[in-house]
Amino acid sequence: MKTIKRVSTLQKYLKKERQKGRTIGFTPTMGALHEGHLELIRMGKNENDINVVSIFVNPTQFNQKEDLVKYPRKLEEDQKLIRSDCDYLFAPAVTQIYPKGLDTSVDLDVSHLSFSMEGPNRPGHFDGVVQVIYRFLNIIEPDRIYMGQKDFQQFSIVHYMLKEMNIPTKLRVCPTVREADGLAMSSRNLRLEPQIRKNANIIFTALSFAKDQLCTMKCTDIEEKAIKMMQIKDFRPEYFEIVDGFNMKRVTDPEQHDFIAACTACWAGRVRLIDNMILKGAEHI
Ligand code: AMP
């Protein structure tokens, strides 16, 4: 595995790989890698000749400065974790991705997918995601991009971007990898205090409840009950929504939809966690 910091160096190597007819897989990450990331990276390794991973804490997708500053950075440990599955680790500085004078804005309206849930709760977040992914796609031109189901709106928006902007890269989505107690793996879990970590599986419990009750209870009642379940000491649910997985709109009659997901965000102490579960139509991922 080669660790590369400069855009021009990576492009030089990838040009040679492409000339040899090799396919390129790409997994974007913000580092502090865990088993969830490693699953994506392994998928990329299995399905392509050359596997590229990026580690870049993208400032434009953070709407809270504290979250950006406190985001864990562990490049050396990350390098060890992926060295056998990754050919090129791209770990650029912010000035490489957003150099002065280069317009990296993307003219794409994603409001029909970002109007709810993470969108209003994190203003500017998805514009930042679109901006960084578009920039990476321009630099790397991968055959396939690997993203996690854990960030439901994120992969849906990237899927839309690829289609809408006629980008030939194929999106591959990997199911959420969980800890033994059900908590979705996340780099942010490292910041949970022990007592809060112990109770953090309440999020998975609430999502599982929604899955069990989809055919028996009204969706609004499930949402209300799930919110109540998560209102335990130190936990503050922000939203819990049962939505159509294609358009993110609230579901009232599950019979009328082929693809349904429950999505939630919950503060656990000072850490904001998100998670989701497919309630119907997992094959649509
Ligand atoms: P991040 O480093 O948090 O930006 O995540 C990089 C990629 O890993 C995103 O596509 C995430 O959806 C994915 N990811 C993060 N956590 C998990 C997980 N627990 N299971 C599967 N994919 C994940």
Side-chain angles (χ1 to χ4, degrees), residues 242-283:
I242 297 175
V243 298
D244 183 295
F246 296 122
N247 60 26
M248 309 297 145
K249 290 190 179 144
R250 290 291 259 285
V251 167
T252 41
D253 180 5
E255 294 267 314
Q256 304 290 318
H257 302 261
D258 295 330
F259 184 28
I260 301 177
C263 300
T264 187
C266 184
W267 286 88
R270 291 177 69 87
V271 183
R272 187 174 181 277
L273 300 175
I274 64 167
D275 200 353
N276 67 78
M277 193 175 280
I278 310 289
L279 309 188
K280 184 177 176 186
E283 69 277 9

Side-chain angles (χ1 to χ4, degrees), residues 2-14:
K2 281 191 163 60
T3 299
I4 294 175
K5 304 248 175 201
R6 300 184 68 85
V7 169
S8 55
T9 313
L10 182 67
Q11 286 182 315
K12 195 182 75 193
Y13 279 112
L14 292 183

Side-chain angles (χ1 to χ4, degrees), residues 197-223:
R197 167 64 192 87
K198 234 177 98 188
N199 295 326
N201 62 341
I202 191 66
I203 299 170
F204 180 68
T205 307
L207 289 167
S208 306
F209 164 79
K211 184 161 191 186
D212 291 345
Q213 299 302 326
L214 185 68
C215 300
T216 53
M217 273 171 77
K218 268 172 64 180
C219 288
T220 46
D221 291 345
I222 298 174
E223 290 167 344

